[in-house]
């Protein structure tokens, strides 16, 4: 034996003797449930350390221990068990099901609390629910799963469409109403990929949100991403593929029917020779694919989690697609017993190729290049190409437009977005019970939008312009630093938690745009602006906003019965005037654990009863920068016969512009029955928002300002509602489990005060509805954005009109009758009235989960009741100037007088209740069948676990609405999305269709 070998053996012997002396060895075991079924993914942690492991698919684990260690075994839905290590070599643990979720930890602002100690209104969504079915955006996981939270796509099933979230209604009219998104402590972050999320908490009442002060009035969505754990390296691969198709189509006139229809009003109408179904040409089967690779693990000192994700969606409209790559990593290091460091890194790159939709919305050009609505109204007797000229066909029936197929295949609309976010934290235990944490984060979002209309699009590109192109770029940068002290102390029978901190965030935006016309060649899209002969005036801007805050919170729990929470935040924002830059937002809450009282703690039926009450003030500063300052704007002027740049007064200063303030009260009850097999939460809330930030048009024109509608603090709005969350464990035995999660919520919105009590009439109709004078209204005492127009009363049959009704001047038999509100015998704008309300009476969601051995089934229904939809699509297709729904074949004629559809005319533009429909619906949002492959097969494959899932989304929708889908979000004539606007909602026109999907996914764990 050589010297090297002897030394090696000696060192090993010394190491083993040392290890034995310390009592260290490797322990193995199995974790099972009450039915002796293995529990995969259960946690095995050494108490008061980060050291531990987790079980494999067969419930087996290994962990290094020493005598005296306390092992803690836990899994969601089961009671934690602790075992003190003596000299055991193996352990077989049977976890007992925990029908109570009260010990579950819930993330709140700047910390976490046990669910049983929460005094505010908080909804929690876990990873299992978030990943129950494939999602393009993690925000979609909230739909139907959290009471009081309404989630909607901004444009149906469009690839890459942004998602709108509303918490407890709209608390503002003109300022933003989107909730604050906080990801791993970074305020204002974008949502990460769904499969990277560990949990989502929605903070709803002032007690929960006031810690975020001026940004908490619309609710706060807390997102926690996955972290690594001490133990072996875990590798996961998740892959899914789906096929998508349109959920519905409109029944339109074919060429023969269309020609006959047009000749009713124009006998000399010249018909085309084609018979084109534009829906067949433009719709196609779409698909999505989603692939993720992640690995995680750690040691006693360092834990890590990293993932890479690729998502691709091909839309159901030709030439529409979305592609995204995402990367995430989390590293946590226990540097010393007192110091812990962590680093979070997120980056993504997305590319969206879209077709113009939503007429006069964000991407459409006054209705001339809106593919969806053109698909419905373009004449079917024309083909894609003119048979004589060979050029793209155009429609001259009403406004001249290009055909929708040419626009979809030749126009270019590309959006590329790069997001990068990093966040570093340090956590230091100063002394016992006192901890200091500081964070520093940096985020940047770079978005480039390119648009090109080739010369072959005769109308969209502008006749004789030789094509047109534009490119714009927006770079947004966020810098965030926060530091806070946390103190926790047990005092007698009570536990005191104190928090005090400081926050500073600066946001800057740099924007530029350029355009050009008259290109010599269409080959270079928007990448060759210099190749044009006509340049469009470029624009650029720079905006900077800052917010500085101090905040504090007190939590006190006495004898595990009585709870107190008090929060205060002082915010200063650069958005506001010098007299009101700072504001204070306080809140307080009380909780009473009635079930812990002597008279109830031994109850066999009531296992949990807690009463909650809170009141507080939150703010809203979601307006653009510089609204309080005097501003100048540039114009062209003439000087000496030449055009020169000049500046003129644009906006008057407002030294008293201040925050919107929402005064919120919340009363809640949490009830658990039969050892918490039934869990019920009830909440009632009332939110009064005052000092609304709205445009005030009362400024006199003679003052000479370009912008008369300056932002001022005028108006009040109220939201109040009721929320129910019910969770039941219906059957739980050895092989079979059935649980149900149900939530229901209602919100009543009312405008309390407007400028001078005067109605504000708004318009969401497309630009070519040029003779309408409004579609909805803001009125004191009514919900925001109720529909406003004429009240349809049927078809006039001739002779004497019924009392209280009238027809338009010059009307004849077969024309529509309306309520004569003014009583003057004629129909004018004075006869308009409220004709519908887009705000639903209630929203709901219900999920049933079934599992039998290795199989599981998830069935999720989501719905809304009582909200009206203004079907502008039907209003256009009954107009008479374009193609139409087949319903017009049953229009009134002298021989068909029983019809409820007025006679066909050449052009009737009408905003009336005839096109307001009930938008209630119940939708089978998801049904998923999953199978966990037994370990005897996975072991042969060399993998720890394998799960296969077959699912379907939007499979069935039960509704009376006659349009494509009742979940609508038309952008509106102002170009702003109605799902993010607070007063323009419930309109249907040119929306991207909702899709129906069938998906197959596989998840492997190594």
């Amino acid at each position: 034996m050589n010297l090297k070998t002897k030394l090696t053996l000696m060192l090993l012997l010394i190491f083993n003797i040392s290890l034995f002396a310390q009592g260290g060895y490797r322990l193995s075991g199995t974790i099972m449930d009450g039915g002796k079924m293995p529990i995969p993914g259960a946690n095995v942690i050494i108490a008061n350390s980060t050291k531990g492991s987790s079980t494999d698919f067969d419930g087996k684990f290994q962990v290094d221990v020493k005598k005296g260690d306390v092992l803690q075994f836990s899994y969601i839905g089961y009671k934690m068990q602790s075992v003190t290590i003596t000299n055991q070599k193996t352990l077989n643990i049977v976890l007992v099901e925990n029908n109570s979720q009260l010990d579950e930890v819930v993330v709140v602002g700047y910390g976490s609390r046990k669910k049983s100690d929460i005094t505010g209104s908080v909804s929690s969504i876990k990873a299992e629910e978030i990943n129950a079915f494939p999602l393009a955006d993690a925000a979609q996981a909230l739909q139907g799963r959290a009471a009081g939270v309404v989630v909607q796509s901004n444009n149906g099933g469009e690839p890459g469409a942004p998602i709108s979230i509303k918490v407890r209604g709209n608390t503002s009219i003109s300022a933003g109403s989107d909730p604050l998104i906080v990801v791993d402590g970074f305020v204002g972050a974008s949502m990460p990929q769904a499969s990277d999320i560990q949990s989502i908490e929605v903070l709803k009442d002032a007690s929960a949100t006031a810690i975020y002060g001026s940004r908490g009035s619309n609710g706060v969505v807390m997102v926690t991403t996955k972290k690594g754990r001490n133990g072996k390296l875990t590798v996961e691969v998740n892959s899914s593929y789906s096929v998508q198709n349109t959920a519905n189509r409109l029944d339109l006139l074919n060429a023969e029917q269309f020609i006959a229809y047009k000749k009713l009003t124009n006998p000399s109408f010249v018909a085309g020779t084609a018979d084109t179904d534009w829906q067949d040409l433009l719709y196609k089967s779409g698909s999505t694919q989603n692939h993720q690779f992640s690995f995680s693990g750690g040691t006693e000192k360092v834990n890590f989690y990293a993932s890479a994700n690729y998502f691709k969606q091909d839309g159901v409209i030709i030439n529409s697609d979305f592609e995204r790559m995402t990367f995430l990593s989390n590293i946590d290091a226990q540097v010393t017993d007192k110091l812990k460091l962590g680093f979070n890194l997120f980056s993504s790159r997305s590319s969206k190729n879209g077709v113009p939709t939503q007429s006069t919305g964000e991407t459409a050009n006054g209705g001339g290049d809106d593919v969806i609505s053109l698909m419905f109204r373009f004449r079917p007797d024309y083909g894609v190409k003119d048979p004589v000229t060979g050029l793209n066909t155009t429609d001259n029936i009403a406004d001249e437009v290009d055909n929708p197929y040419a626009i979809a295949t030749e126009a270019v609309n590309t959006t590329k977005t790069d997001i990068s976010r990093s966040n570093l934290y340090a956590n230091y235990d100063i002394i016992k019970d006192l901890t200091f944490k500081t964070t520093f984060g940096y985020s940047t979002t770079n978005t480039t939008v390119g648009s090109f209309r080739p010369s072959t699009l005769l109308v969209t590109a502008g006749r004789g312009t030789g094509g047109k192109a534009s490119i714009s770029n927006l770079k947004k940068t966020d810098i965030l630093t926060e530091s806070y002290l946390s103190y926790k102390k047990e005092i007698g029978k009570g536990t005191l938690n104190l928090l005090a901190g400081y926050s500073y965030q600066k946001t800057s935006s740099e924007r530029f745009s350029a355009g050009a016309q008259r290109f010599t060649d269409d080959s270079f899209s928007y990448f060759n602006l210099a190749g044009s002969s006509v340049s469009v005036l470029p624009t650029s801007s720079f905006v900077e906003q800052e917010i500085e805050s101090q905040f504090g919170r007190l939590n006190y729990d006495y004898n595990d019965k009585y709870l107190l929470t008090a929060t205060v935040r002082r915010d200063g924002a650069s958005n506001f005037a010098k007299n009101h830059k700072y504001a204070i937002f306080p809140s307080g809450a009380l909780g009473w654990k009635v079930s812990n009282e002597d008279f109830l703690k031994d109850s066999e039926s009531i296992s949990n009863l807690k009463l909650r009450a809170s009141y507080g003030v939150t703010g809203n500063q979601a307006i653009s920068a510089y609204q309080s300052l005097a501003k100048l704007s540039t114009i062209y002027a003439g000087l000496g016969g030449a055009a020169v740049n000049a500046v003129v007064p644009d906006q008057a200063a407002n030294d008293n512009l201040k925050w919107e303030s929402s005064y919120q009260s919340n009363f809640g009850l949490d009830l658990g029955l039969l050892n918490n097999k039934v869990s019920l939460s009830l909440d009632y809330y009332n939110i009064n928002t005052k000092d609304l930030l709205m445009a005030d048009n009362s400024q006199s024109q003679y003052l000479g300002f370009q912008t008369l509608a300056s932002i001022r603090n005028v108006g009040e709005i109220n939201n109040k509602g009721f929320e129910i969350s019910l969770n039941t464990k219906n059957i739980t035995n050895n092989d079979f489990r059935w649980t149900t999660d149900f939530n229901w919520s209602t919100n009543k919105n009312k405008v309390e005060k407007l400028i001078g009590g005067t109605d504000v009439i708004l318009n969401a109709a497309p630009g070519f509805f040029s003779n309408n004078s409004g579609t909805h209204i803001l009125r004191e005492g009514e919900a925001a954005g109720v529909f406003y127009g004429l009240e349809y009363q049927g078809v006039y049959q001739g002779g004497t009109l019924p009392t209280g009704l009238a027809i338009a001047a010059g009307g004849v038999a077969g024309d529509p009758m309306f309520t004569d509100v003014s009583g003057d015998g004629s129909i004018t704008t004075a006869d308009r009235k409220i004709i519908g309300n887009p705000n639903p009476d209630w929203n709901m969601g219900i999920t049933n989960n079934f599992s039998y051995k290795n199989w599981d089934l998830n069935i999720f229904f989501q719905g809304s009741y009582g909200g009206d939809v203004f079907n502008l699509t039907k209003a256009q297709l009954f107009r008479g100037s374009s193609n139409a729904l087949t319903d017009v074949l049953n229009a009134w004629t002298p021989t068909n007088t029983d019809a409820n559809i007025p006679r066909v005319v050449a052009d009737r533009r009408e905003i009336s209740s005839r096109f307001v429909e009930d938008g209630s619906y119940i939708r089978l949002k998801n049904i998923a069948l999953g199978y966990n492959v037994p370990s005897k097969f996975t072991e042969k494959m060399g993998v720890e676990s394998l799960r296969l899932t077959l699912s379907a989304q939007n499979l069935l929708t039960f509704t009376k609405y006659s349009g494509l889908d009742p979940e609508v979000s038309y952008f509106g004539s102002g170009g702003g999305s109605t799902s993010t606007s607070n007063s323009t909602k419930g309109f249907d026109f040119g929306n991207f269709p909702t899709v129906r999907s069938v998906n197959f996914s596989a998840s492997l764990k190594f």
Side-chain angles (χ1 to χ4, degrees), residues 533-700:
S533 58
V534 177
S535 295
V536 178
L537 187 69
T539 64
S540 61
S541 65
F542 176 79
V543 175
E544 191 171 75
Q545 297 170 275
E546 295 175 281
I547 184 165
E548 181 184 47
S549 311
Q550 301 86 37
F551 54 88
R553 180 173 59 214
L554 177 151
N555 293 107
Y556 185 66
D557 173 1
Y558 180 74
N559 202 23
D560 199 26
K561 295 179 183 179
Y562 313 110
L563 306 170
L564 169 67
T565 301
T567 305
V568 64
R569 181 163 178 138
R570 179 178 182 263
D571 277 340
S574 61
N575 290 16
F576 292 106
K578 59 183 180 181
N579 294 340
H580 295 283
K581 282 199 179 294
Y582 288 88
I584 295 176
F585 303 99
S587 77
L590 298 172
W592 179 24
K593 297 181 181 179
V594 185
S595 53
N596 286 357
E597 296 287 357
D598 292 340
F599 61 82
L600 199 58
K601 66 180 182 181
D602 295 324
S603 172
E604 295 182 359
S605 56
I606 299 177
S607 43
N608 175 53
L609 176 60
K610 182 174 69 174
L611 303 179
R612 297 177 279 108
S614 69
Y615 181 82
V617 183
T618 55
N620 192 341
Q621 44 86 37
I623 59 172
S624 56
Y626 316 126
Q627 294 294 311
S628 67
L629 304 179
K631 293 196 293 186
L632 302 174
S633 61
T634 59
I635 62 169
Y636 278 120
L639 181 63
V644 296
N645 286 326
V647 293
V648 295
D650 178 63
Q651 172 183 285
N654 181 0
D655 291 340
N656 293 308
L657 190 68
K658 60 182 179 179
W659 320 70
E660 289 186 351
S661 295
S662 293
Y663 300 81
Q664 306 185 36
S665 58
N666 189 95
F667 301 94
L669 177 148
D670 299 324
L671 175 66
L673 302 174
L674 305 175
N675 196 24
N676 291 310
K677 286 188 175 181
V678 177
S679 298
L680 174 69
S681 289
L682 306 177
D683 279 276
Y684 171 80
Y685 63 89
N686 187 27
I687 307 172
N688 285 306
T689 306
K690 301 181 179 181
D691 298 318
L692 291 179
L693 294 161
M694 294 179 62
D696 183 357
N697 294 287
S698 62
Q699 188 169 252
S700 300

Side-chain angles (χ1 to χ4, degrees), residues 53 161 212 337 382 509 557 562 696 698 703 742 769 773 933 963 983:
S53 181
Y212 288 104
D337 291 340
Y382 275 8
S509 299
D557 173 1
Y562 313 110
D696 183 357
S698 62
L703 295 176
F742 171 78
F769 280 52
S773 53
V933 177
S983 54

Side-chain angles (χ1 to χ4, degrees), residues 172-184:
S172 181
I173 289 179
S174 298
S177 276
D178 291 331
L180 180 68
I181 308 293
V182 181
V183 179
D184 291 329

Side-chain angles (χ1 to χ4, degrees), residues 6-55:
K6 291 179 179 179
L7 288 173
T8 301
L9 290 174
M10 186 178 296
L11 287 171
L12 287 172
L13 179 61
I14 293 171
F15 174 76
N16 283 315
I17 291 172
S18 174
L19 184 63
F20 181 78
Q22 295 174 26
Y25 62 94
R26 177 156 292 184
L27 174 75
S28 62
T30 304
I31 300 180
M32 298 175 288
D33 63 14
K36 305 300 181 182
M37 296 294 292
I39 302 178
N43 297 317
V44 183
I45 302 295
I46 298 176
N48 301 316
S49 79
T50 59
K51 187 179 179 182
S53 181
S54 61
T55 58

